[in-house]
Amino acid sequence: MNDSSRQVPDLSRFFAPQTVALVGATDDTTRFGGRLLRQMLKFGFGGRILPVNPGRSELQGMRCYATVADLPAAPDHAGIVVPADKVLPVLRECHARGIPFATVFTAGFSETGTPEGRAMQAAITQFARESGMRVMGPNCYGVINYPDHFALTASSVLEPDARRDGSIGVVSQSGGLGGINVMWRAMEAGLRINYATSSGNEADLDAIDFARFMIEADSTEVLLMALEAVRDGAKFARMAERAAELEKPIVVLKLGRTRHGSRAAASHTGAMTGADDIFEAAARQFGVKRVNDSRELYETAIMLRGKRWPRGRRAASLSLSGGNVVQVADVGAQLGLEWSDYTATTQEQLSGLLPGYGKVSNPTDTTSLASGQPELFRRILDIISRDENVDVMVPVFTVPRRTELEQGMQIARESAKPVVLLLTGKCLDDPTLTVERIVADGVPAYRDTVTCLAAVRAAVDYREFLDRFRRQDSYTRPVAADPDAARALFADEGPATLTERASKAVLRCYGLPVTAERLARNAGAAIAHARDIGTPVALKIESPDIAHKSEAGAVRLNLSNAMEIRSAYEEIVAAARRYDAGATINGVLVQQMAPRGIEMMLGVANDPVFGPVVAVALGGIYVEVLRDIAYRVAPIDAAQALAMLHELRAYKLLEGVRGQARSDIAALVDCIVRLSWLAHDLRDAIADIDVNPLLVFERGALAVDALVVLKGKDGRRR
Amino acid sequence: MNDSSRQVPDLSRFFAPQTVALVGATDDTTRFGGRLLRQMLKFGFGGRILPVNPGRSELQGMRCYATVADLPAAPDHAGIVVPADKVLPVLRECHARGIPFATVFTAGFSETGTPEGRAMQAAITQFARESGMRVMGPNCYGVINYPDHFALTASSVLEPDARRDGSIGVVSQSGGLGGINVMWRAMEAGLRINYATSSGNEADLDAIDFARFMIEADSTEVLLMALEAVRDGAKFARMAERAAELEKPIVVLKLGRTRHGSRAAASHTGAMTGADDIFEAAARQFGVKRVNDSRELYETAIMLRGKRWPRGRRAASLSLSGGNVVQVADVGAQLGLEWSDYTATTQEQLSGLLPGYGKVSNPTDTTSLASGQPELFRRILDIISRDENVDVMVPVFTVPRRTELEQGMQIARESAKPVVLLLTGKCLDDPTLTVERIVADGVPAYRDTVTCLAAVRAAVDYREFLDRFRRQDSYTRPVAADPDAARALFADEGPATLTERASKAVLRCYGLPVTAERLARNAGAAIAHARDIGTPVALKIESPDIAHKSEAGAVRLNLSNAMEIRSAYEEIVAAARRYDAGATINGVLVQQMAPRGIEMMLGVANDPVFGPVVAVALGGIYVEVLRDIAYRVAPIDAAQALAMLHELRAYKLLEGVRGQARSDIAALVDCIVRLSWLAHDLRDAIADIDVNPLLVFERGALAVDALVVLKGKDGRRR
């Protein structure tokens, strides 16, 4: 969370400078400084370029300066290509000359993995923090601003784009992945870019800063991010929240899913990645669409452009290829789209056009009836697009004529609903009318069924997210949440792991229902406590040294009479002593026996990137076997807690299977919300919490066992 | 199983006829018969064409005949485009004239869903069965044989291919999906096709027949299938088995995964689809790679061509784009590839070429060191390809020079190991050197990481499958399998559902371990049985009318003494009478109480396509909630049964979690194998079996409850 406290920087002069210094400029284009200058000239930068190179007095017809101090004016932005050990001195000169922004291309910093490299990078970070100057890089590929024809980039293969209507922002850390696999391929696919950055090692400015700028830019419609590491989860969340306010979808490729990927990312940019499950959950929580391959970034953007997101999941499709109708039907249903029945009005209108049909089904096989009859196809398309049961249309073409495709494009532009063209073959009479050209003309189009319908689904999801986002209420603390009372329960210097009893007492401070229980220091007290609590009861050893009570044989269940309780007390203490002769024994916990219920597990963990997260899963041994767990960054509201439960395969158990009653899902949701606030409020003190099991009944819920682990003074697990 | 008993037809004259009749030929190319003729001429068919059209005496310079009977010679194959009601008479004429094969393009049969359409199709089927003439279609797109330049197809958009080295077979039911989405796109992607068929309604010859021909053809390297329905599972299995013998990979897109997809398929080709889970399992069992999108068919073929399947999962990759190294590392690990460490020899050789590195990791970030130095890149590639820890190489290029790509291609051709090129951008100095051209030159190449590595994984899987296939022993019946004894246990006219006791007796005939149990007709007998079996025991009602014994309150567990057993007996009988006053009560079952174990479920079901299948899952209520079930077509051997268990997420439970002992997996495997043989041997009599739970212990396993449901005389569930 190194950066959360800083203000959102105003990067206008960084992205669109009037004057730019190039420190290390040369006209040898086999060298980095030469490539930079050549690219800037090729892109037709309209501002003033001030090359700095002590060995030259002139470069490409421009006056060249020996040092930054010699510059005749204070540039907005300096590009720096000097040896690694000269970077910091040059940055200081730039700051002294009044330059607010610098981009450092030089490599040899933390990505080397050496102590020297890391130290040099830390010095840049410290300098930026202290001076207020903002720095991109080091080891980065720089920035491109297509509408303003400004390129300060190490890439020599990018072409300028004379058009100024770019609407897709691209943010990456790696230059090759972001610049080639995403930006270049996106342009090839018919999209136009407005801004692109490759931020490298991120000593100061990071991908989130650049993303934030692009989100605020009016021209941006969709933001694409290819990230190897997210360093600051809170900053990521605020950026995503701002994008949601402005209704600008974000699509992210986040690498480091696997141990191998994380290791490769660490050696590439020197960045550590957090737990991938947590990133996955956070992306979903904050409305960010995550994809698995760099290609999917721009493929998804094709559908997300233009704010034409379907108002629901009800899709319609038609094709004169029956096989394609089957594939569309199948893939759409798998992806959670609904092929709703057409209204009676639509049926009636279509039956006139498609004779011999009974009921016209959706997706619609027009058969070869509509072949070579573009006017008929257009009328069918038009009728279906007006159907009130239809939220989005996906006409499928195999080998269409130009007129057919153009009619599809026209309907896509004019229809009140989103229309996406799927062209699995190619245009017969005009081979230039490709999917790429249709996309370039502003109409969403695809070649492949899965890609197409996955993007449609992403658009549906985005609109659903925005609806939830506008309604959400994540910042209302539940009643009966008492952080002070909870804090009073753990002494500063107490043990790292609270006892079951103390753990539950902490939960109780946030209104979570826990078993009634008391500590007994002798068998007589145990009998008395049992009478107060009500039998049957369970007896468990309480010792800070014995975490696995069952394993120690120090638990007895279902005890009803005094004789049973007395002998259980003595057996438990004896078992505990056998298990660990040196253990401190506080006494024996006398606990209410819970009735049968669905065993769930609630948890709190602290992610290094996102901070406190809550987790819910089926309890008992199934958590670790099935990995059917839902996470959210704390705190959350009831809607988010319910969404977590819906993610679980085990949700059906709560709804009741085989004639069992439905469990009290509202009570479980309330427990999750309360636990999320506990995790949030006490994040400085609590490392993690395990409530396992939390029993959920037909009415109510009850935490039967719990463990709270505290942080040490260093903020780590004690 | 309508076709399993027929011989594999010899389709040589169908695919490569010397003489072809075209019934319904015309020179009006807006009509079907005109398009057929034009295509055949365009493809340069070298044999004799005999047009049949009563209204013409000459067509395109060829003599035209009034009827089939008038033909001067007996053609090998007749293409038929006549009105639907004329199809059968024309087929009869063809047969009379000695024509062995016909392809019927005419639509209007079972795909209409009308009784008339279905009846006309049934008549074709019957005619083919009786006459021995073999018929493709109706409502089909026909056949193309590229090497022999023979096209008998309704598609007007396909181009001939002068080259004769096609090696990819394409089999589909739909013409548009198979012809455009698969075949055309495959050719565009650089692959060459040998044979393609679109078999339509399949009144007689079906996709499996055509697949079988292509598998046997020497030129075929990979077979691609786009199927809406598989009608005969046994025939599919035999075809796949033959492909495995010949080491020819099959990739299949099988639609009808979802209810909506199945419905669309049914209305398109008139075919019903079986359960998708079963097809999925059967494909895995028989070594057929299943994909989700028509695009994946040819994408996978690019890697499966040429029999260069990696001998293991250990991949290596390198790139000068660090971001691409991270993406490759991540995606590969997700797909189950292993990035093994290089050997010391490789490390030593590389450290000379990549100075400043410590240990060189895999995938290897060559950084810009290797940029613009193709010779260096080649040497690095060459060293890694010789590493004995590496089974397959995936060099990644972003914006390579032509020489770099050509070196990659050369190594791919010369290396003893498979080498796959991943080109995420494009060749800078030769834009014609595309991925498609590399593929056309015989080298596997891709543009996208996920696609590329998924294909690599498919190749690894295929080689692993072949290894298992050569070792497998699916046809050895286990000892102590006694079908006659099992049959004797159910009378022909008995109830449809056997009692628990009778069901377990059936299991016992195949050596499955079941609880010791006896039927008691009074409390005294129950006490005596308990003494023989050993206490504690469970008591359960036995009534053919009460399936849900627990729900009826007619089960008592853990009974140890005579008094308990007596009162339990009476309570159970009373509860059963309350539950269903009219129920026939056989008595009360006295049953051995099983110790605690892992609760599994074994099942047998009869799939309409594949016949008897076995299933295994976690027992209890988790089966239906988690849908964590593995299936196989019966019978299977121990290796397949173990593979089923490995597919389950719940497998970890059997291995022992949280310090629990490992369960007796061998005993469970033995139960699955035995049950699969029972299902196979008694498939005419048994509809389904449910063994739930089967307890698995540290040593041994035990079926605690079981239910066998019999088929009626019509072969359906009674």
Side-chain angles (χ1 to χ4, degrees), chain A residues 468-552:
Chain A
R468 282 197 310 273
F469 177 77
R470 289 191 206 97
R471 284 196 314 266
Q472 83 178 0
D473 180 30
S474 297
Y475 302 102
T476 304
R477 199 176 302 270
V479 291
D482 188 345
D484 296 335
R487 277 181 204 282
L489 286 164
F490 36 87
D492 267 1
E493 297 302 326
T497 301
L498 299 186
T499 61
E500 175 180 343
R501 187 167 48 100
S503 298
K504 285 186 195 156
V506 170
L507 299 182
R508 205 184 283 117
C509 294
Y510 272 74
L512 283 126
V514 301
T515 44
E517 57 199 22
R518 295 209 198 147
L519 186 67
R521 294 186 199 279
N522 57 57
I527 293 166
H529 290 335
R531 203 174 299 127
D532 294 347
I533 290 167
T535 54
V537 292
L539 264 59
K540 302 174 172 177
I541 197 74
E542 179 173 308
S543 161
D545 303 316
I546 300 177
H548 301 289
K549 299 181 278 270
S550 295
E551 199 180 298

Side-chain angles (χ1 to χ4, degrees), chain A residues 13 39 73 125 140 193 230 260 336 390 400 405 428 472 497 555 619:
Chain A
R13 291 169 70 197
Q39 276 301 79
T125 303
C140 76
I193 309 300
V230 172
H260 239 95
V390 171
L405 271 180
L428 271 187
Q472 83 178 0
T497 301
V555 175

Side-chain angles (χ1 to χ4, degrees), chain B residues 167-171 193-196 214 220-225:
Chain B
S167 65
I168 312 290
V170 177
V171 166
I193 308 300
N194 54 358
Y195 303 104
M214 296 184 200
T220 304
E221 289 189 311
V222 182
L223 180 68
L224 307 182
M225 306 183 78

Side-chain angles (χ1 to χ4, degrees), chain A residues 181 184-185 188 253 256-258 293-295 324 327 330 334 399 424 447-448 451 624 649 658, chain B residues 181 184-185 188 253 256-258 293-295 324 327 330 334 399 424 447-448 451 624 649 658:
Chain A
N181 299 35
W184 200 10
R185 294 277 298 272
E188 209 181 53
L253 173 74
R257 275 184 189 269
T258 63
D293 191 353
S294 42
R295 167 169 80 177
N324 274 291
Q327 171 148 303
D330 219 15
Q334 263 183 282
V399 283
T424 67
R447 293 207 78 180
D448 294 293
T451 309
E624 53 202 272
R649 289 189 297 273
R658 291 204 187 167
Chain B
N181 300 35
W184 199 8
R185 294 276 299 273
E188 207 181 54
L253 173 74
R257 275 184 187 268
T258 64
D293 191 353
S294 41
R295 166 168 78 178
N324 274 291
Q327 170 147 304
D330 220 15
Q334 264 183 280
V399 285
T424 68
R447 293 208 79 180
D448 294 294
T451 310
E624 54 203 273
R649 288 188 299 273
R658 293 206 188 163

Side-chain angles (χ1 to χ4, degrees), chain B residues 388-573:
Chain B
E388 64 191 25
N389 287 350
V390 171
D391 299 318
V392 55
M393 284 275 297
V394 189
V396 187
F397 303 88
T398 49
V399 285
R401 305 266 153 194
R402 183 193 170 123
T403 47
E404 291 168 274
L405 272 179
E406 284 177 344
Q407 280 171 347
M409 291 168 71
Q410 195 186 337
I411 288 187
R413 286 201 197 86
E414 293 169 1
S415 169
K417 294 172 191 168
V419 176
V420 192
L421 310 189
L422 176 53
L423 172 55
T424 68
K426 60 182 151 192
C427 181
L428 272 185
D429 50 352
D430 182 358
T432 71
L433 190 50
T434 59
V435 165
E436 293 73 18
R437 208 180 94 194
I438 298 170
V439 171
D441 281 356
V443 171
Y446 293 89
R447 293 208 79 180
D448 294 294
T449 311
V450 171
T451 310
C452 175
L453 296 181
V456 169
R457 176 62 207 256
V460 169
D461 288 346
Y462 188 68
R463 179 141 172 180
E464 287 180 0
F465 162 75
L466 285 183
D467 291 345
R468 283 198 308 275
F469 177 78
R470 289 191 207 97
R471 284 196 313 266
Q472 82 180 359
D473 181 28
S474 297
Y475 303 102
T476 305
R477 198 176 304 269
V479 291
D482 188 343
D484 296 333
R487 279 181 202 281
L489 286 164
F490 35 88
D492 266 1
E493 297 302 326
T497 302
L498 299 187
T499 62
E500 175 179 344
R501 186 167 49 102
S503 298
K504 285 185 194 157
V506 171
L507 297 183
R508 204 183 285 117
C509 294
Y510 273 73
L512 283 124
V514 300
T515 44
E517 58 200 21
R518 296 211 199 146
L519 185 68
R521 296 187 197 275
N522 57 59
I527 293 165
H529 290 336
R531 202 174 300 127
D532 293 347
I533 290 167
T535 54
V537 292
L539 264 59
K540 302 172 172 177
I541 198 73
E542 180 173 308
S543 160
D545 303 316
I546 301 178
H548 301 289
K549 298 182 278 270
S550 296
E551 200 179 296
V555 175
R556 292 290 181 283
L557 303 177
N558 258 320
L559 308 169
S560 289
N561 62 51
M563 206 170 66
E564 284 176 346
I565 293 170
R566 181 174 301 279
S567 62
Y569 187 98
E570 280 149 16
E571 285 164 26
I572 283 174
V573 172

Side-chain angles (χ1 to χ4, degrees), chain B residues 123-441:
Chain B
I124 296 177
T125 304
Q126 197 188 341
F127 166 73
R129 296 283 181 277
E130 289 169 5
S131 67
M133 185 173 175
R134 303 307 303 259
V135 180
M136 179 187 222
N139 186 31
C140 77
Y141 258 59
V143 51
I144 305 178
N145 167 348
Y146 282 99
D148 294 319
H149 300 182
F150 171 61
L152 182 62
T153 176
S155 171
S156 61
V157 299
L158 298 168
E159 295 299 320
D161 185 345
R163 301 173 64 161
R164 293 178 180 267
D165 59 348
S167 65
I168 312 290
V170 177
V171 166
S172 73
Q173 287 154 338
S174 158
L177 191 69
I180 306 300
N181 300 35
V182 184
M183 184 178 71
W184 199 8
R185 294 276 299 273
M187 293 168 85
E188 207 181 54
L191 293 172
R192 276 189 293 280
I193 308 300
N194 54 358
Y195 303 104
T197 54
S198 294
S199 48
N201 290 11
E202 302 184 338
D204 176 34
L205 289 168
D206 68 12
I208 316 291
D209 291 312
F210 301 120
R212 185 68 188 256
F213 173 84
M214 296 184 200
I215 287 165
E216 300 284 351
D218 287 343
S219 59
T220 304
E221 289 189 311
V222 182
L223 180 68
L224 307 182
M225 306 183 78
L227 301 177
E228 293 165 46
V230 172
R231 290 170 171 81
D232 183 339
K235 189 171 169 182
F236 180 86
R238 281 196 309 276
M239 180 273 293
E241 197 169 67
R242 181 64 184 147
E245 284 168 11
L246 295 172
E247 302 194 352
K248 300 196 177 181
I250 299 173
V251 192
V252 66
L253 173 74
K254 165 66 174 59
L255 299 174
R257 275 184 187 268
T258 64
R259 193 180 50 80
H260 238 95
S262 300
R263 211 173 70 185
S267 67
H268 179 223
T269 60
M272 291 305 297
T273 58
D276 190 70
D277 286 350
I278 305 300
F279 182 83
E280 179 86 20
R284 199 177 302 123
Q285 182 171 355
F286 302 125
V288 171
K289 166 71 181 169
R290 186 181 191 182
V291 296
N292 295 311
D293 191 353
S294 41
R295 166 168 78 178
E296 281 182 75
L297 285 170
Y298 59 85
E299 285 174 339
T300 310
I302 290 170
M303 184 67 206
L304 291 179
R305 279 186 307 176
K307 302 203 175 196
R308 288 168 67 85
W309 311 302
R311 64 171 178 196
R313 301 181 179 204
R314 300 168 310 167
S317 181
L318 75 168
S319 178
L320 49 81
S321 158
N324 274 291
V325 165
V326 179
Q327 170 147 304
V328 160
D330 220 15
V331 170
Q334 264 183 280
L335 289 169
L337 298 175
E338 292 160 16
W339 303 108
S340 47
D341 290 336
Y342 296 137
T343 60
T345 313
T346 304
Q347 290 283 353
E348 197 180 317
Q349 291 174 316
L350 290 181
S351 64
L353 300 176
L354 294 168
Y357 265 79
K359 188 161 167 259
V360 180
S361 58
N362 172 27
T364 305
D365 183 355
T366 63
T367 72
S368 44
L369 264 180
S371 176
Q373 296 198 64
E375 177 56 22
L376 176 62
F377 193 80
R378 193 198 61 74
R379 281 170 63 196
I380 296 171
L381 205 57
D382 191 50
I383 290 165
I384 296 175
S385 75
R386 292 171 199 281
D387 189 303
E388 64 191 25
N389 287 350
V390 171
D391 299 318
V392 55
M393 284 275 297
V394 189
V396 187
F397 303 88
T398 49
V399 285
R401 305 266 153 194
R402 183 193 170 123
T403 47
E404 291 168 274
L405 272 179
E406 284 177 344
Q407 280 171 347
M409 291 168 71
Q410 195 186 337
I411 288 187
R413 286 201 197 86
E414 293 169 1
S415 169
K417 294 172 191 168
V419 176
V420 192
L421 310 189
L422 176 53
L423 172 55
T424 68
K426 60 182 151 192
C427 181
L428 272 185
D429 50 352
D430 182 358
T432 71
L433 190 50
T434 59
V435 165
E436 293 73 18
R437 208 180 94 194
I438 298 170
V439 171
D441 281 356

Side-chain angles (χ1 to χ4, degrees), chain A residues 135-295:
Chain A
V135 180
M136 180 188 222
N139 186 32
C140 76
Y141 258 58
V143 51
I144 305 176
N145 168 348
Y146 281 99
D148 296 318
H149 299 184
F150 171 62
L152 182 63
T153 176
S155 173
S156 62
V157 298
L158 298 168
E159 295 299 321
D161 185 344
R163 302 173 64 161
R164 292 178 181 267
D165 59 347
S167 65
I168 312 290
V170 177
V171 165
S172 72
Q173 288 155 338
S174 159
L177 191 69
I180 306 301
N181 299 35
V182 184
M183 184 178 72
W184 200 10
R185 294 277 298 272
M187 294 168 83
E188 209 181 53
L191 294 172
R192 275 190 293 280
I193 309 300
N194 55 358
Y195 304 104
T197 55
S198 294
S199 48
N201 289 11
E202 303 186 339
D204 176 33
L205 289 168
D206 67 11
I208 316 290
D209 292 311
F210 300 120
R212 185 68 189 255
F213 172 83
M214 295 183 201
I215 286 165
E216 300 285 350
D218 287 343
S219 59
T220 304
E221 290 188 311
V222 181
L223 181 68
L224 307 182
M225 306 184 77
L227 302 177
E228 291 164 47
V230 172
R231 289 169 172 82
D232 184 339
K235 188 171 168 181
F236 181 86
R238 282 198 308 278
M239 180 272 293
E241 197 168 65
R242 180 66 183 144
E245 283 168 12
L246 296 171
E247 301 194 352
K248 300 195 177 182
I250 299 173
V251 192
V252 66
L253 173 74
K254 164 69 173 59
L255 299 175
R257 275 184 189 269
T258 63
R259 193 179 51 81
H260 239 95
S262 300
R263 210 172 74 184
S267 68
H268 179 223
T269 60
M272 291 305 298
T273 57
D276 190 70
D277 285 350
I278 305 299
F279 182 83
E280 179 86 19
R284 199 177 301 123
Q285 184 171 354
F286 302 126
V288 171
K289 166 69 182 171
R290 186 181 193 183
V291 297
N292 295 311
D293 191 353
S294 42
R295 167 169 80 177

